Amino acid sequence: MEKIFENNKKWVERKLIEDKDYFSKLAMGQKPRYLYIGCSDSRIPINEVTGTGPGEIFVHRNIANMVVHTDMNLLSVLQYAVEVLKVKDIIVCGHYGCGGVAAAASNKQFGLLDNWLRNIKDVIRLHEQELMSIEDEDQRHRRLVELNITEQVLNLSKTSIIQNAMQTEDPPKLYGLVYDLKEGLLRDLNVMEQQNSMKRYEHIYGLL
């Protein structure tokens, strides 16, 4: 922990040299444009990856960037971001080489974590035919990462928070992005275009 405190002091010194009012400005409040729902993986420093600064991106992270309808932590973050902070863009971002996705694709037990990973197994069940047609295991895992991101964006659209926001004059836009650790690049999966497929389920998921 000593290293943490030492690095913190050095960081404060650097920031004050750059701008003596840096911390005073931050203390005045936040107005982020983005809500980022991503994986907890320590190799993804999201502010650096996106080139955003403090106060520009509101962050929620969990294993395998899941949007689970019983996760009160996620739902609380989502409601606050949408209804209080008025974010414009909501991003679900996964990454190739995700350990959570790989664990869900296996038949191994991981204890308590199995309950969380079962949500990803549901994604496998929904897309089993496509996934089983991919012979290369690495490519199959990469595709599962993409499908998981897509399903989590769709899960977002099913929430009452997002459905209510879509009725406002300036609703947030939903995005599904995948990050490639080997390249450092983000790619848009264009999930918004696929959301038209949700219209046939409006009689099930639609809320009045």
Side-chain angles (χ1 to χ4, degrees):
M1 286 302 296
E2 290 183 7
K3 184 177 181 180
I4 293 290
F5 289 119
E6 289 177 6
N7 289 341
N8 172 243
K9 290 179 179 178
K10 293 177 181 178
W11 174 73
V12 170
E13 291 173 357
R14 289 197 303 271
K15 288 299 180 183
L16 289 177
I17 291 174
E18 296 172 4
D19 182 357
K20 62 182 179 60
D21 297 320
Y22 179 81
F23 295 103
S24 298
K25 293 176 182 176
L26 283 182
M28 293 175 66
Q30 61 174 329
K31 189 63 177 177
R33 177 187 176 91
Y34 310 96
L35 167 60
Y36 171 90
I37 300 171
C39 183
S40 298
D41 195 295
S42 62
R43 297 168 292 178
I44 308 173
I46 193 57
N47 285 105
E48 292 183 33
V49 170
T50 59
T52 53
E56 294 183 50
I57 187 165
F58 200 56
V59 176
H60 176 80
R61 304 180 80 157
N62 59 46
I63 292 176
N65 43 272
M66 301 297 293
V67 177
V68 180
H69 296 136
T70 55
D71 183 358
M72 296 305 295
N73 190 345
L74 176 279
L75 293 174
S76 298
V77 169
L78 179 62
Q79 183 175 18
Y80 186 75
V82 171
E83 298 180 6
V84 179
L85 296 177
K86 307 292 185 183
V87 297
K88 303 297 184 183
D89 301 300
I90 302 177
I91 300 165
V92 176
C93 183
H95 65 97
Y96 297 125
C98 179
V101 170
S106 74
N107 292 319
K108 298 179 181 178
Q109 288 193 31
F110 298 94
L112 180 65
L113 181 59
D114 292 329
N115 297 281
W116 186 259
L117 297 179
R118 193 152 294 119
N119 295 289
I120 307 176
K121 288 184 179 291
D122 288 338
V123 176
I124 297 173
R125 173 177 56 81
L126 289 170
H127 301 278
E128 182 180 17
Q129 185 173 358
E130 177 186 351
L131 290 168
M132 291 303 101
S133 69
I134 304 174
E135 295 183 2
D136 182 81
E137 185 177 15
D138 182 61
Q139 291 301 315
R140 187 163 62 248
H141 283 178
R142 287 173 68 90
R143 182 56 180 151
L144 178 53
V145 164
E146 296 171 353
L147 291 170
N148 183 53
I149 295 166
T150 298
E151 290 297 332
Q152 303 319 311
V153 175
L154 294 179
N155 283 346
L156 268 179
S157 70
K158 298 172 190 175
T159 65
S160 59
I161 298 167
I162 293 301
Q163 290 194 35
N164 289 336
M166 290 304 177
Q167 303 304 315
T168 64
E169 294 181 358
D170 188 21
K173 294 181 180 179
L174 309 184
Y175 295 90
L177 307 183
V178 64
Y179 178 68
D180 195 327
L181 288 166
K182 294 181 179 180
E183 298 178 354
L185 296 175
L186 291 166
R187 182 164 65 89
D188 190 352
L189 296 178
N190 297 312
V191 179
M192 288 290 286
E193 296 177 6
Q194 300 176 38
Q195 282 191 316
N196 290 329
S197 63
M198 281 296 294
K199 289 185 177 180
R200 65 177 177 145
Y201 298 118
E202 282 185 351
H203 66 290
I204 300 174
Y205 296 112
L207 299 173
L208 299 177

